[in-house]
Amino acid sequence: MHDFAQALLLIFTGDAELWGIIWVTLKMSFFSTVISSLIGFSLGAVIGSCRFPGQNILLNITSTLMSLPPVVAGLLVFMLLSRSGPFGQLRLLYTVEAMVIAQVVLITPIIAGMSAAVLERQSQPVLETCVGLGMSFFRSRKMLLWDCRSQLVSVVLAGLGRSLAEVGAVQLVGGNVQGKTRVMTTAIMLETNMGRFDFALALGVILLVLAFILNIFARRIERRTHSEA
């Protein structure tokens, strides 16, 4: 109980270290989700609305990568960005940029797979209308994405939630450097091992609050989608 009270005190007194960690977490999650959404929606639009040779193979690969273990993704990015790797000269290892790359590897298949499932259900009537109006391939896919915007926002929120909760990959490529690459999940692990339960609890409470806010948005969007239908 004392640790919980101390955790609340850290939150409301604006502890600089605590809020620095939160800022790094939000920055990393924002950029990784935006980049993953841009790539994932493009892949999802192709997989969910087109028929082409190898489509099933691409769908199976995407589905497999949706369950890619975070430590495996982190290991792959680490090998690419290490000094002996092909991109070692960029010196991105143990930076926020490296963590964003690892997150993109993890989140993009999730967004691509979920958006493909959404777009596949809606593609036929929308694309038939677009063909009747003489729209090009890209304009018709843009129209399809816009028509499914409510469901796709839920997909983005799911990707953001996955990004906020990630530990393994960001620990590997970020190094959990204080004031630089330390995020909420890696900090919770470190502070718990050090016995600073009040600090770990403060981060845990904020992480739960963020998850709660995301769930509220997702439910509102879901209700709005049902009412529009």
Side-chain angles (χ1 to χ4, degrees):
M1 194 66 182
H2 174 72
D3 288 329
F4 187 74
Q6 287 292 110
L8 293 179
L9 185 63
L10 283 170
I11 294 171
F12 291 112
T13 54
D15 182 82
E17 183 182 0
L18 179 76
W19 290 103
I21 292 170
I22 295 169
W23 168 245
V24 173
T25 305
L26 294 176
K27 181 170 64 172
M28 176 198 69
S29 298
F30 173 78
F31 284 109
S32 59
T33 304
V34 169
I35 296 170
S36 298
S37 298
L38 292 173
I39 302 171
F41 286 158
S42 301
L43 289 173
V46 173
I47 297 171
S49 65
C50 301
R51 297 294 178 266
F52 54 90
Q55 181 185 24
N56 289 332
I57 296 175
L58 184 58
L59 185 59
N60 289 331
I61 292 173
T62 302
S63 300
T64 302
L65 292 177
M66 287 177 71
S67 56
L68 179 68
V71 289
V72 175
L75 176 60
L76 293 173
V77 175
F78 184 93
M79 292 172 65
L80 291 172
L81 299 181
S82 64
R83 287 188 176 182
S84 58
F87 302 106
Q89 68 275 13
L90 298 177
R91 297 183 180 180
L92 291 175
L93 202 59
Y94 304 133
T95 65
V96 174
E97 289 80 3
M99 295 193 295
V100 169
I101 293 170
Q103 293 272 32
V104 168
V105 172
L106 280 172
I107 302 170
T108 298
I110 296 173
I111 293 180
M114 293 178 67
S115 60
V118 169
L119 296 171
E120 187 176 16
R121 291 194 297 268
Q122 303 290 334
S123 62
Q124 186 174 353
V126 175
L127 293 181
E128 286 178 354
T129 302
C130 292
V131 170
L133 294 173
M135 290 186 180
S136 65
F137 176 88
F138 292 105
R139 285 193 65 192
S140 61
R141 267 60 189 180
K142 183 179 177 181
M143 181 65 69
L144 176 61
L145 289 170
W146 176 253
D147 191 70
C148 300
R149 61 191 181 278
S150 297
Q151 298 97 316
L152 294 178
V153 170
S154 295
V155 173
V156 172
L157 292 177
L160 178 59
R162 182 70 176 82
S163 176
L164 288 170
E166 173 48 33
V167 183
V170 296
Q171 175 82 23
L172 274 173
V173 302
N176 200 21
V177 181
Q178 185 176 10
K180 186 178 179 183
T181 61
R182 185 166 296 172
V183 294
M184 295 171 69
T185 49
T186 58
I188 288 172
M189 292 179 60
L190 177 67
E191 300 299 335
T192 301
N193 290 333
M194 293 175 61
R196 293 182 63 189
F197 300 114
D198 55 343
F199 201 92
L201 274 172
L203 290 168
V205 167
I206 294 172
L207 199 57
L208 285 173
V209 169
L210 290 174
F212 181 73
I213 293 171
L214 289 178
N215 281 323
I216 289 176
F217 275 115
R219 285 184 174 274
R220 285 187 175 180
I221 292 166
E222 186 178 356
R223 284 198 296 267
R224 181 180 174 182
T225 302
H226 287 318
S227 63
E228 288 178 353

